[in-house]
Amino acid sequence: MKRAYTLSLVSILLLGSCQESMEDRCAREVKEYNDKRCPARINEYTDIDSVVFDRSTLTTHYYYTIKGEADNPEAIKRINPRTSLLEGLRNSTSTLAYKEAGYNFAYTYHSHSTGKILFDIVFTSNDYK
């Protein structure tokens, strides 16, 4: 009986130690995404350059480059990316576990012609819930 109890306890401890933390999972998924998909063209005007996960702030940060006609501050103001990005984040099922855990999501758009930041925003759980 004592042996069965010991084996059960060891099994539970081993299974628990194999579980991946939410932070480790996010870091792994971001690395896999970068390795497989970045950089990549999103559309005629937008490329995704990379995705970075910051453990200290629990923030997944997406970096984009804007090209062509959209590559100017006035075009960005007309487009109002905050609204479409927030709607996309709210509707995203791939980020559901991270949203439930209260993670942050940041988006930075750089100009292809100047390298300057055209748009930069961070969404917290207060924004997307």
Side-chain angles (χ1 to χ4, degrees):
M1 181 73 157
K2 188 175 183 180
R3 183 174 178 191
Y5 174 74
T6 303
L7 283 176
S8 296
L9 181 60
V10 169
S11 297
I12 290 170
L13 290 174
L14 286 175
L15 287 174
S17 67
C18 292
Q19 287 186 335
E20 187 176 37
S21 72
M22 184 68 85
E23 291 89 356
D24 289 343
R25 175 182 165 193
C26 189
R28 177 183 50 78
E29 288 180 353
V30 164
K31 182 184 179 329
E32 289 172 359
Y33 186 90
N34 274 318
D35 291 348
K36 292 178 184 176
R37 299 186 178 161
C38 290
R41 173 147 293 178
I42 302 296
N43 59 41
E44 178 181 359
Y45 305 110
T46 312
D47 292 342
I48 185 164
D49 301 316
S50 65
V51 183
V52 176
F53 175 62
D54 181 349
R55 286 177 186 267
S56 66
T57 61
L58 300 178
T59 302
T60 301
H61 199 137
Y62 300 86
Y63 291 93
Y64 297 91
T65 297
I66 301 294
K67 302 176 181 180
E69 295 174 24
D71 186 0
N72 71 70
E74 293 305 314
I76 297 298
K77 285 180 188 176
R78 283 192 312 271
I79 294 168
N80 188 13
R82 183 190 192 287
T83 303
S84 59
L85 287 170
L86 184 54
E87 183 179 329
L89 180 59
R90 285 179 175 155
N91 294 328
S92 172
T93 57
S94 65
T95 58
L96 185 59
Y98 303 114
K99 291 186 292 189
E100 288 175 348
Y103 279 41
N104 304 307
F105 299 87
Y107 302 86
T108 301
Y109 288 82
H110 288 94
S111 165
H112 181 261
S113 60
T114 67
K116 292 182 180 180
I117 294 175
L118 295 171
F119 183 78
D120 190 40
I121 193 161
V122 177
F123 295 116
T124 67
S125 60
N126 292 332
D127 298 309
Y128 58 75
K129 284 190 177 179

